[in-house]
Amino acid sequence: MSHPYCSYRSLFPTLSTHVHLASCSQGALAQPVSKAIEEYHNGLLLSGSNWDEAIEKVEETRKKFAELIGAETDEIAVLSSVSDAISAIATSLPYQKEKNKIVFTDIDFPTVGHIWLAQEQFKDNITFIRSSNGIIHVEQYEKEVKHDTLLTCIPHVCYYNGYMQNLKVIADIVHKKGSLLFVDAYQSAGQIPINVKEMDIDILAAGTRKYMLGIPGVAFLYIKKELAENLKPRVTGWLGQEKTSEFDIYHPVFAAGARRFETGTPSFISVYAAYEAIKLLLEVGIDNIQSYLKELTRFTLHYGQEKGLHIIGPLSTKCRSSMTSFYVENASKIEGFLREKNIVVSARKDVIRIAPHFYNTKDELEYAIAELSNLINGK
Ligand SMILES: Cc1ncc(COP(=O)(O)O)c(C=O)c1O
């Protein structure tokens, strides 16, 4: 298999010394992203203050993320983490006696449970959908989402096993019951095409440090404009107001659209990084990235099994992202051993996650899987 994005590899210095297969945790840092970080830093260092430029960069970055997911710019809030984005919604939804159920799944990232179970008005009205063999059949959404469900919260891709759900099919099911759909796209944005309009998603959150190739400190919240304007955030602040420059302490008026969910000054340095990272992804093209990663995943599934490794989750590329999880008893120890060989992977509970991006090659995967198999089989 040739590597169609070979020319991009030199943009990622770490690839010359490391086999970087941890994009499900932290993507490799590209030179333009690193330069953007320096640009922000130098602005402070050499000019003292760069507030106006930084605010302008937030607007440009909002636009870029909107482009990445097919949304309008006004439908994007720039926040600090996916947890913040979920909390922004959890603390804004109105409690209605006849419609107060929250549905989420056991394949969601744990922060989803932590947040919903901390909400006094919703915590006794929660339905968990349980997976079997790491997947959730759409019939379970048909059964568990009911007419009193206010919101259904699902991951696009499961952080633990790489299982990918069909968002449009689930959107149709939950909408039939009158529920809103919240999608956690942190494990898919940057590697899988997303179009919130075509997929009919009401609310979506994604951070930038994984497949989006940024650094921690920025996450985006997409919310349909008409829906945003019916919600009154209780976690708010001066940057969520319509007129931020009037400094009127007495008469708060929420900003239009998703901006109302913003609070205070964002991590500008992370915003600079996010802008360049998303620009790079759009240049390569998410459709191209997905089709290349499918080839890599096909190879990983095949070679992993040939090496006798136990793969967690579905064995077909049809409902998988690029991340493959291998069952390992002492996963964090194995992660450390691989790191000694300059192979960067990511452990979670009892799995080693191997998560390539468009910059990786089949040879890198072959090497990492062979080393993982040697460690497990004690060679
Ligand atoms: C799917 C998913 N959602 C949410 C999170 C948590 O994101 P944050 O730390 O930005 O709140 C993670 C982190 O790994 C994740 O993988």
Side-chain angles (χ1 to χ4, degrees):
M1 184 196 309
S2 63
H3 186 238
Y5 307 109
C6 199
S7 59
Y8 285 94
R9 276 179 65 86
S10 60
L11 291 183
F12 299 87
T14 190
L15 301 182
S16 62
T17 52
H18 290 73
V19 171
H20 183 97
L21 292 167
S23 300
C24 58
S25 174
Q26 172 68 64
L29 199 71
Q31 296 277 22
V33 179
S34 166
K35 280 210 182 89
I37 292 169
E38 272 173 41
E39 185 191 334
Y40 177 73
H41 170 250
N42 284 339
L44 284 184
L45 192 70
L46 306 174
S47 325
S49 171
N50 48 10
W51 179 267
D52 289 346
E53 294 94 312
I55 287 289
E56 181 55 35
K57 190 65 81 178
V58 172
E59 291 315 309
E60 288 170 8
T61 308
R62 188 192 308 280
K63 211 166 162 188
K64 276 269 172 276
F65 182 72
E67 189 184 340
L68 188 79
I69 64 161
E72 287 173 32
T73 310
D74 285 348
E75 295 177 312
I76 307 296
V78 180
L79 304 177
S80 301
S81 68
V82 167
S83 301
D84 283 353
I86 300 167
S87 295
I89 297 303
T91 53
S92 305
L93 285 177
Y95 179 86
Q96 300 150 285
K97 224 164 161 222
E98 336 62 59
K99 204 161 187 59
N100 57 12
K101 290 242 158 59
I102 304 297
V103 173
F104 61 87
T105 75
D106 70 356
I107 59 168
D108 272 293
F109 192 74
T111 203
V112 171
H114 304 159
I115 292 165
W116 285 109
L117 291 167
Q119 308 305 314
E120 276 303 319
Q121 74 273 43
F122 294 118
K123 73 176 178 17
D124 298 324
N125 293 311
I126 281 171
T127 303
F128 287 95
I129 298 186
R130 293 191 192 277
S131 56
S132 57
N133 291 328
I135 70 167
I136 295 180
H137 296 285
V138 289
E139 293 75 25
Q140 283 172 270
Y141 290 104
E142 294 271 15
K143 191 167 148 231
E144 302 290 355
V145 179
K146 307 213 163 106
H147 290 286
D148 58 358
T149 304
L150 177 58
L151 182 111
T152 305
C153 194
I154 62 164
H156 189 185
V157 167
C158 171
Y159 77 100
Y160 175 71
N161 65 11
Y163 169 55
M164 178 177 68
Q165 305 202 87
N166 187 327
L167 297 181
K168 179 68 174 90
V169 168
I170 299 171
D172 288 348
I173 293 171
V174 312
H175 288 153
K176 243 181 7 206
K177 309 280 179 89
S179 166
L180 296 168
L181 181 66
F182 185 118
V183 175
D184 176 349
Y186 206 169
Q187 289 291 343
S188 58
Q191 65 150 326
I192 296 168
I194 296 173
N195 185 305
V196 286
K197 301 295 172 192
E198 286 169 11
M199 292 168 161
D200 204 9
I201 297 166
D202 302 297
I203 311 167
L204 175 144
T208 57
R209 83 183 187 96
K210 304 181 191 294
Y211 297 91
M212 257 202 274
L213 308 180
I215 59 172
V218 175
F220 301 100
L221 171 68
Y222 154 79
I223 176 162
K224 261 187 192 162
K225 198 164 179 213
E226 58 275 23
L227 174 60
E229 299 196 341
N230 280 326
L231 299 181
K232 294 193 173 96
R234 273 182 291 127
V235 175
T236 185
W238 70 297
L239 291 182
Q241 303 301 309
E242 191 182 45
K243 292 181 179 151
T244 55
S245 55
E246 288 195 356
F247 297 97
D248 176 352
I249 194 171
Y250 299 111
H251 306 102
V253 177
F254 288 125
R259 280 183 179 79
R260 65 183 49 209
F261 292 97
E262 294 179 6
T263 57
T265 310
S267 170
F268 287 137
I269 200 158
S270 313
V271 171
Y272 273 63
Y275 176 82
E276 284 302 327
I278 301 172
K279 188 168 153 227
L280 175 62
L281 289 167
L282 289 170
E283 181 185 309
V284 180
I286 305 296
D287 286 330
N288 296 331
I289 291 174
Q290 184 187 38
S291 64
Y292 175 62
L293 290 177
K294 260 195 195 303
E295 282 183 55
L296 290 188
T297 308
R298 214 165 280 128
F299 169 76
T300 302
L301 294 173
H302 176 260
Y303 189 59
Q305 289 178 92
E306 191 181 305
K307 284 283 175 190
L309 296 173
H310 176 176
I311 294 168
I312 300 288
L315 293 175
S316 152
T317 55
K318 239 179 106 187
C319 49
R320 267 205 164 277
S321 74
S322 87
M323 186 247 281
T324 307
S325 293
F326 296 95
Y327 173 76
V328 180
E329 253 170 39
N330 42 2
S332 58
K333 226 169 168 181
I334 296 281
E335 179 193 294
F337 288 146
L338 288 170
R339 197 166 256 276
E340 282 170 21
K341 295 171 185 281
N342 286 350
I343 299 171
V344 185
V345 296
S346 166
R348 282 287 176 274
K349 295 193 275 197
D350 53 1
V351 294
I352 286 290
R353 303 181 301 171
I354 290 195
H357 211 322
F358 74 95
Y359 41 69
N360 290 115
T361 64
K362 179 181 148 275
D363 288 350
E364 288 177 318
L365 280 167
E366 189 168 351
Y367 171 60
I369 293 167
E371 289 296 328
L372 176 62
S373 157
N374 288 344
L375 282 170
I376 292 174
N377 299 320
K379 284 192 193 147

